[in-house]
Amino acid sequence: MKVLVDIFLRTLYMSLFIILIPLGAYTIHNGSSATVALFSYVVLSVGIPVLYMTSKISGFGPKEHRINRFLYVVSWLIVEFATYHSFFAVDLSLLWTLPNVGRDIIFVLLMYVQVFFSVILAYILTSIKRGVCR
């Protein structure tokens, strides 16, 4: 349980850097703002955690287990793929009836959850790899 809380808090901290820039780009509301927001989110949601995992203080949980950077990228791709396909499986018509602020809050939460699940999946895959390689 301590590992999940640690991942939750560290992901929350990383998300301050990951989410604010795309959110700022999106609030410009010109023709290309959504594209700029998407591109900056993709770059930052991969880049910030990978750079963090390069640091020597990047362990998670009480035993400070580190996450393999390659496995984070693989996990990120899996989570993004699952998110993309879930948009086709769920009726999102309610989302478009919300005011802009409501949609923005939902998208910010979605971005955080994507990074959170990417880190969790990478932690699990790294733990499996670590156990298999011993």
Side-chain angles (χ1 to χ4, degrees):
M1 190 63 164
K2 290 181 182 182
V3 174
L4 282 177
V5 171
D6 192 28
I7 289 174
F8 177 81
L9 293 175
R10 291 183 194 219
T11 304
L12 188 63
Y13 178 70
M14 284 188 282
S15 290
L16 291 176
F17 301 100
I18 295 169
I19 294 173
L20 289 180
I21 294 171
L23 188 62
Y26 183 71
T27 57
I28 296 170
H29 290 297
N30 64 19
S32 64
S33 64
T35 305
V36 171
L38 176 66
F39 180 75
S40 61
Y41 171 71
V42 166
V43 169
L44 293 172
S45 67
V46 173
I48 298 287
V50 166
L51 289 174
Y52 175 75
M53 292 169 196
T54 304
S55 168
K56 294 190 185 304
I57 61 167
S58 66
F60 292 93
K63 295 184 179 180
E64 293 291 323
H65 287 294
R66 298 190 56 180
I67 294 176
N68 183 303
R69 293 178 307 241
F70 175 74
L71 290 177
Y72 174 77
V73 173
V74 169
S75 300
W76 183 87
L77 288 170
I78 291 169
V79 169
E80 293 299 321
F81 183 77
T83 302
Y84 176 77
H85 282 288
S86 70
F87 284 150
F88 295 111
V90 178
D91 180 24
L92 297 174
S93 60
L94 173 68
L95 182 65
W96 302 114
T97 61
L98 295 173
N100 287 344
V101 174
R103 275 191 304 238
D104 291 347
I105 290 170
I106 289 173
F107 282 122
V108 164
L109 290 174
L110 179 65
M111 288 187 279
Y112 172 75
V113 167
Q114 285 178 319
V115 175
F116 178 68
F117 281 128
S118 297
V119 173
I120 287 177
L121 184 59
Y123 184 86
I124 292 169
L125 292 175
T126 302
S127 297
I128 290 170
K129 180 183 173 232
R130 191 179 302 119
V132 170
C133 292
R134 285 187 179 177

